[in-house]
Amino acid sequence: MKHCIISFVALSLAIFFFSFKENKHASGWTNLLDQNLSQWEMYLGYHHKASYNGSVPMDEHGDTIKPVGYNKNVNNVFSVIKDNSDLVLKVTGEYYGCVFTKTSYKNFELKLKVKFGSRKWEARENKLMDAGILYYSQGPCGVDYWRAWMLSQEFQITEGHFGDYWNIGNSAINIRAFMPEGSMSAAASNTQPFLSFGTGTKLTGYCMRTADYSTANNGWTEVTLVCFNGKSLHIVNGHVVMVLSDSRCNDNGKFKPLTEGKIQLQSEGCEVYYKDIQIRTLDKFPDEFKRYFD
């Protein structure tokens, strides 16, 4: 009987410490989505027309149209809905803009699930469904071609192109990629040397992912973004589709590090849904990914 009691106590202690370890691991993740979007702010720029050319939009009288601005949720572009028991951020895409975190992040791992809706607006009516995660975001919104977002780096979310890269504003970065030739776009490869992309470099601010690993038939696709000291990984459904390093911005011809900032989720002319948005801070680069930078 005494032996049984000792065994029971030992088993209880083992379960306790195992549970503590599991809860401690789980608590490393912060859920960024709630019913009130309490951890986010928002910005809306313009309802762009198909003829938009990058200039400040004008009305029929030739007068400048002002952007909607910060924290004005016109036509409920951003809302939180329920999908069964899941909270989901619905973005109509009617206006170009974003929600962005109130907190800035430097070394972190972000994961979320994303899928497109069915509606497109005029600016993207004959184009692919499009959205994105913008990271290391700094400064005011509206510094990009579409006058909607902050200086940042983009993890592209587009039909068939989950994980592509775009520079936003005057950012630049290095990517393991094949050198582009002629009219072809550069394509990422996890085994190629690093090439420089973006403002102040010899290449454009765009690079394609290694391959398409998005979920078929517009199912929920899990994307993961790992960032540490200016290095980053774009991961789609568990596949590393782009390896990036030396995040920076071009400030009047001089490069400065761009290694910390807020996270933006884009509204870009089409309906998109985000859920299971979680983040955790990192005190070192995850061992499982170090080989991509060797």
Side-chain angles (χ1 to χ4, degrees), residues 32-42 79-80 87 102:
L32 292 180
L33 185 61
D34 58 37
Q35 191 70 56
N36 301 314
L37 287 174
S38 64
Q39 298 183 72
W40 303 82
E41 296 187 73
M42 65 183 66
S79 62
V80 178
L87 288 180
K102 295 178 179 179

Side-chain angles (χ1 to χ4, degrees), residues 231-271:
K231 298 176 180 178
S232 54
L233 293 173
H234 294 184
I235 303 172
V236 179
N237 280 334
H239 299 273
V240 175
V241 299
M242 189 169 289
V243 181
L244 311 93
S245 71
D246 195 19
S247 176
R248 57 200 186 275
C249 63
N250 190 300
D251 185 7
N252 294 318
K254 294 184 178 180
F255 285 119
K256 293 184 177 180
L258 183 64
T259 59
E260 183 174 1
K262 299 179 179 182
I263 295 166
Q264 306 172 77
L265 300 180
Q266 290 180 315
S267 171
E268 195 172 355
C270 67
E271 193 174 62

Side-chain angles (χ1 to χ4, degrees), residues 100-229:
F100 59 91
T101 57
K102 295 178 179 179
T103 301
S104 289
Y105 299 94
K106 182 176 182 179
N107 299 324
F108 65 91
E109 182 176 356
L110 173 76
K111 61 181 180 181
L112 58 81
K113 293 177 182 175
V114 60
K115 67 182 295 185
F116 292 107
S118 58
R119 185 162 189 180
K120 295 182 184 180
W121 301 87
E122 182 181 350
R124 295 213 65 84
E125 204 164 30
N126 298 309
K127 298 180 180 179
L128 298 173
M129 304 289 277
D130 195 8
I133 303 167
L134 309 184
Y135 57 102
Y136 294 150
S137 307
Q138 298 182 9
C141 292
V143 300
D144 61 298
Y145 175 88
W146 295 99
R147 301 176 184 272
W149 306 303
M150 304 175 199
L151 161 70
S152 53
Q153 313 287 12
E154 179 171 359
F155 183 131
Q156 172 98 316
I157 296 172
T158 299
E159 290 178 286
H161 288 268
F162 279 56
D164 285 4
Y165 167 80
W166 279 103
N167 78 312
I168 305 295
N170 61 341
S171 65
I173 206 163
N174 297 342
I175 302 172
R176 287 196 183 277
F178 288 101
M179 181 69 72
E181 181 178 316
S183 61
M184 294 190 303
S185 297
S189 169
N190 298 345
T191 59
Q192 288 296 300
F194 283 101
L195 304 177
S196 294
F197 292 82
T199 303
T201 74
K202 294 181 180 180
L203 298 176
T204 68
Y206 172 71
C207 183
M208 288 200 303
R209 75 290 178 273
T210 59
D212 176 22
Y213 291 106
S214 58
T215 302
N217 302 316
N218 192 33
W220 287 105
T221 294
E222 182 171 86
V223 300
T224 304
L225 170 65
V226 179
C227 293
F228 194 84
N229 290 346

